[in-house]
Amino acid sequence: MPRDHQPRAPERVAPPAAGAPLAWLLVAPLLLALAAYARVLHGEFVFDDLPNVVNAPAVRQLPAALRAFVPDLLAGRRPVTVLTLALDHAAGGLEPFTFHATNLGLHLLAVLLVFGFTRAVLRLAGAGLPAAGRGGSPAARAALDPDALALVVAGLFALHPLQSQAVSYVVQRAEVLASLGYLGALWLLLLAERHGPGWRGALAYGGALLALALGLGSKAILVTLPVAYLLLTWAVPGPAARGALTTWPRRLALLAAPVALIGLFAARTSRRLEGSTDAGFAVPGLPAGDYFLTQWRVVATYLRLLLWPAGQSADWAFSTSHSLGEPAVLLSGALLLALVAAAAALLWWSRRPAGAGGPANGGGLPEADRLAARLAAFGIGWFFVVLSATSSVIPREDVLVEHRTYLASWGVFLALAVAAERGLARLPARRRTLAALLLVGLTWSGLAALTWRRNAVWESALALWSDAAAKAPGKPRVHLGLGNALLARGEAEAAIAEYRLGLATLRADAAPAEAPLQQNLGAALARAGRPAEAVAPLRRALALDPRSADAAAGLAVALLAAGELEEAGRAAVAALTLRPEDPVAHRVAGRARLAAGDDDAAALAHLERAARAFPADAQVQLELGHALAATGRSGEACAAWARAAASGAALAEVRAQAAQASELLRCPPARDPR
């Protein structure tokens, strides 16, 4: 067999020294990414960060997260993501900087892995070998440089603004962690192929299974990994590399354990999602067929955002498609079908015999062009395969979410990079390098600027929801989010207006949003000093969701403020039935019983629980003092009133009442804390 057809030829491609200078240039996109994401390092927790980070018991208790790791992994949950969040909490409490810094660090690690994985794929394709072709043309002489192309692709991956949601949205680190597992498992499977059945191959194979398991424990996108692996090993290898890899029977045998692991995970996840209204086949009003048709438009939108990242939003208002005859569905389907056909044509073209049909029919193609065609075809296929985990027939409540493109985008970046390289290869050598530097520099800096600008919305909940509401004014959830952000800043009247606007935009498919809108409208009205108006929306919220302890507690507070003590007491008891340790409900129940005067001991028990939860609340201390005095504990009552009177945050009326009660009970003067 001639030397240039020996099966181990790919191992001689791109010696280590050749790639070192270009690898160091990876510092440039990494620094640009640091600059683009720096503004969000102190950003607030937003959206799903609140239930999954701020209010998640597992995140606040690292030992519990460690104990639950294996059971949750076997149950198809996301214990890897939860564990990283718990480690952040253990290191810095609920300081957002720690969580955002970890997200950014994981993204930069993913960029490094993308660089290495891309270079491995390019070498598998034959990049770095001298190009062959007819006529000594520039295209024939120019070989694809695996290090340069990997650098370009890694830079696009690091800096594209569509990646910002996965990086800047704390809880969506799940996407980044899963992507790390995905790329790591694929790369290690390739190494296992190359090293064969020896100890190196076994070590690589074990590492691939571990990366797969950890990736699945971050997010379920790794269910498509076997398909991506088969596509990679079938479509990408050049003629020499095919002989260096394993046989197809052994390749399928290598996939046996990963497929079994994925099957077990998928079965457990499906069982866990039975009846879920967020994901699965029980999402209200979203049959699998409608979701599938809608995803044609969604995927077309993802492609548009990758090519022209304008109009991004944290909460898209994207209508559901119900018929194949809809023009938008037909156009999107035609676009996606054209891309698949183009990938198939490129792959077929790249594998034609060197002299078949003559130049007019593609004969005598330069090997560099064949290589680029294979890579572009694989990149297109990768995009569809990775997205199929979320953009196929299994419905999700949110049909379009930007972070889902995080890993899928790599395929588009690869296809664009090799296409641009082939275009530049047609230029004279003296102009080629300058043009490449200008193109890469302008693209990277432009993307970094766009990402920095996009990250402005992740600095605060108000910025995020203001942007989302401006882009989707007819979606109730964006008005709920904006109202919550305004209420958190003390702007109750503005929040009331947003909640009412959200209620005005309700449609049949948005009905689940009514309960939180009504509940938060009632809370805002109560905070604005309009408790009588707050009662009706809170009653409506509780009617819509009878299991809502928040709505029941809010109703109790509003009734108490409106002077309806008896009803307030009943509402508080109902809230405590739903959530026995609710301190707000204990406060209302204690106040109501204290005012009724029928059970001072029970009132005291409720108020003591409330005081433990709100030790700095002057109103609670005032009421606790009254309950203590009613049960004959005068000394403790005087201490509680002293705390109320000394509170700098207390209203003047509360301080005056505490001082008056102390005087009536003839409490000793409070000690000067100095």
Side-chain angles (χ1 to χ4, degrees), residues 255-662:
L255 278 179
V259 168
L261 184 60
I262 289 170
L264 175 65
F265 179 86
R268 296 292 177 86
T269 302
S270 298
R271 191 177 309 160
R272 182 173 54 83
L273 291 178
E274 287 179 2
S276 170
T277 59
D278 298 325
F281 296 106
V283 176
L286 192 57
D290 289 1
Y291 185 80
F292 180 63
L293 291 177
T294 304
Q295 287 307 302
W296 294 10
R297 295 166 44 230
V298 169
V299 174
T301 303
Y302 288 151
L303 283 168
R304 195 270 298 168
L305 288 169
L306 285 168
L307 297 174
W308 188 257
Q312 289 182 250
S313 177
D315 198 5
W316 283 71
F318 206 87
S319 62
T320 303
S321 295
H322 303 286
S323 169
L324 185 60
E326 294 177 22
V329 173
L330 287 173
L331 288 173
S332 299
L335 171 64
L336 302 185
L337 184 60
L339 276 175
V340 172
L346 285 170
L347 194 58
W348 173 81
W349 184 57
S350 72
R351 292 189 169 182
R352 298 201 68 196
N361 294 317
L365 292 173
E367 183 56 36
D369 287 353
R370 295 171 178 273
L371 187 158
R374 291 197 302 274
L375 290 168
F378 172 65
I380 295 170
W382 172 279
F383 176 74
F384 286 110
V385 167
V386 175
L387 267 185
S388 66
T390 53
S391 295
S392 54
V393 296
I394 302 176
R396 265 73 173 169
E397 181 185 11
D398 292 309
V399 297
L400 189 159
V401 185
E402 292 174 8
H403 63 255
R404 292 175 186 162
T405 65
Y406 184 77
L407 182 60
S409 66
W410 176 84
V412 176
F413 297 149
L414 177 66
L416 291 174
V418 296
E421 191 279 341
R422 285 294 82 199
L424 291 171
R426 269 65 180 174
L427 296 176
R430 287 178 296 180
R431 296 172 56 190
R432 189 184 309 144
T433 301
L434 179 60
L437 289 174
L438 283 174
L439 179 60
V440 172
L442 289 173
T443 301
W444 281 358
S445 57
L447 290 176
L450 289 173
T451 300
W452 181 86
R453 181 180 178 184
R454 176 61 191 164
N455 273 328
V457 306
W458 297 104
E459 290 183 302
S460 69
L462 183 61
L464 181 79
W465 290 113
S466 295
D467 177 76
K471 292 169 180 172
K475 188 171 186 177
R477 190 168 66 183
V478 300
H479 298 291
L480 174 65
L482 182 53
N484 292 346
L486 291 164
L487 191 61
R489 291 173 177 260
E491 300 178 37
E493 292 296 340
I496 291 167
E498 282 300 323
Y499 295 138
R500 285 180 168 159
L501 187 56
L503 289 168
T505 62
L506 279 173
R507 306 172 306 278
D509 60 347
E514 183 181 358
L517 279 166
Q518 295 282 13
Q519 177 184 315
N520 291 8
L521 172 60
L525 286 165
R527 189 176 298 187
R530 296 151 64 182
E533 294 178 60
V535 171
L538 286 164
R539 287 192 192 279
R540 174 63 178 164
L542 199 55
L544 290 166
D545 185 6
R547 302 299 301 169
S548 174
D550 288 331
L555 177 60
V557 170
L559 288 166
L560 179 66
E564 302 289 342
L565 293 179
E566 187 175 346
E567 280 196 74
R570 286 197 294 268
V573 171
L576 291 171
T577 302
L578 296 168
R579 192 162 58 202
E581 296 303 319
D582 190 310
V584 173
H586 277 297
R587 174 187 170 182
V588 176
R591 175 77 179 275
R593 288 186 178 239
L594 187 66
D598 58 352
D599 194 342
D600 294 330
L604 177 59
H606 285 301
L607 290 168
E608 283 179 327
R609 288 191 178 190
R612 284 195 294 271
F614 304 117
D617 190 311
Q619 182 69 43
V620 172
Q621 294 295 335
L622 174 66
E623 294 160 357
L624 175 62
H626 292 322
L628 288 164
T631 54
R633 294 159 64 178
S634 302
E636 294 174 75
C638 290
W641 289 329
R643 290 192 294 271
S647 173
L651 296 173
E653 180 184 356
V654 173
R655 288 198 297 269
Q657 289 177 7
Q660 183 180 14
S662 297

